[in-house]
């Protein structure tokens, strides 16, 4: 069982927006700004798309945005494209020198 | 560009040992904390180990503490994960990652993954 809770699946049509949640506790998501999101296409390594709650690495489209409210972080993908179909994982610093992750959300572009 | 090239994994029996390596390039390896993270079949990501930039401190979750050892050779720009007393539940794809954006707790780049299968 993963430390952070994500919905197992999400979907949307091309051009639509979809939001994926990541629920933790005050000891991880709610307690530190080190919340990240990763995209993983089948058979590939994960790729960082959001770090420190809302910051985007260079080269990541601004269609991807992150936010946090309390102990829940969210990833929003706007203007869905077919290439956005992938697994998405959240991660957070969990205090006491450890990292915690979510179980992953499979995003389907209909 | 930043590259993390991992060694092949393997198929081992329960109780066996295995060492993974990760060759880093494209960034000043000795200046960054490094991590191992695994992805079990049908499961989520799980943190496995962290080592400081100078190798002086290491951290592990309870699930691998005492069985896994993370180490690094900054002269060779290489990260290692020594796994012993392997269990069925250690079956996963193991990824080495670097840290970035001015914090050891921001995972940035990931290696290509090493499949470790523990089976009798």
């Amino acid at each position: 069982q993963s430390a952070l809770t994500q919905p197992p699946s999400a979907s949307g049509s091309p051009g639509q927006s979809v939001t994926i949640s990541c629920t933790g506790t005050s000891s991880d998501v709610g307690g530190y700004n080190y919340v990240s999101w990763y995209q993983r296409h089948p058979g590939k390594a994960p790729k960082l798309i959001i770090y420190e709650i809302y910051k985007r690495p260079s080269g990541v489209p601004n269609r991807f945005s992150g936010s946090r409210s309390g102990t829940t972080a969210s990833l929003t993908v706007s203007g869905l494209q077919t290439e956005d179909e992938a697994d998405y994982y959240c991660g957070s610093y969990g205090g006491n020198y450890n990292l915690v992750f979510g179980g992953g959300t499979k995003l389907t572009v209909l | 560009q930043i590259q993390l090239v991992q060694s092949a994994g393997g198929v081992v029996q329960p109780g066996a040992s295995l060492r993974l390596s990760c060759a880093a390039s494209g960034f000043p390896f000795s200046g960054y904390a490094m991590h191992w993270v695994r992805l079990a079949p049908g499961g989520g990501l799980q943190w496995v180990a962290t080592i400081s930039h100078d190798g002086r401190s290491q951290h592990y979750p309870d699930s691998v503490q005492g069985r896994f050892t993370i180490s690094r050779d900054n002269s060779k720009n290489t990260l290692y994960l020594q796994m012993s007393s392997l269990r069925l539940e250690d079956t996963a794809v193991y990824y080495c990652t670097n840290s970035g954006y001015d914090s050891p707790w921001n995972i940035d780049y990931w290696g290509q993954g090493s499949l470790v299968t523990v089976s009798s």
Side-chain angles (χ1 to χ4, degrees), chain A residues 34 45-46 51-52 57 97-98, chain B residues 45 47 59 101 103 105-106 110-111:
Chain A
Y34 300 116
Y51 69 100
E52 292 181 10
Y97 303 101
N98 80 92
Chain B
L45 293 172
W47 168 63
H59 305 282
Y101 302 103
S103 170
W105 306 114
N106 285 326
W110 300 63

Side-chain angles (χ1 to χ4, degrees), chain B:
Chain B
Q1 75 278 22
I2 293 175
Q3 284 193 308
L4 299 169
V5 180
Q6 300 181 219
S7 59
V11 180
V12 298
Q13 292 188 330
S17 298
L18 190 66
R19 188 178 84 157
L20 303 179
S21 64
C22 171
S25 61
F27 68 102
F29 180 73
S30 63
Y32 290 84
M34 298 289 291
H35 311 274
W36 288 96
V37 178
R38 67 187 181 187
L39 180 61
L45 293 172
Q46 183 185 24
W47 168 63
V48 173
T50 293
I51 189 167
S52 61
H53 68 94
D54 58 5
R56 291 185 177 184
S57 62
Q58 305 87 33
H59 305 282
Y60 310 90
D62 290 345
S63 57
V64 307
Q65 178 76 50
R67 300 188 299 122
F68 289 13
T69 302
I70 186 172
S71 62
R72 65 193 297 161
D73 185 337
N74 284 347
S75 69
K76 296 181 178 179
N77 287 357
T78 302
L79 177 73
Y80 302 97
L81 183 68
Q82 177 68 49
M83 302 181 289
S84 61
S85 302
L86 281 161
R87 304 169 180 170
L88 297 176
E89 57 266 33
D90 294 320
T91 293
V93 177
Y94 286 73
Y95 296 100
C96 73
T97 81
N98 70 348
S99 58
Y101 302 103
D102 299 323
S103 170
W105 306 114
N106 285 326
I107 287 182
D108 194 358
Y109 285 86
W110 300 63
Q112 85 276 17
S114 301
L115 177 59
V116 174
T117 302
V118 184
S119 173
S120 55

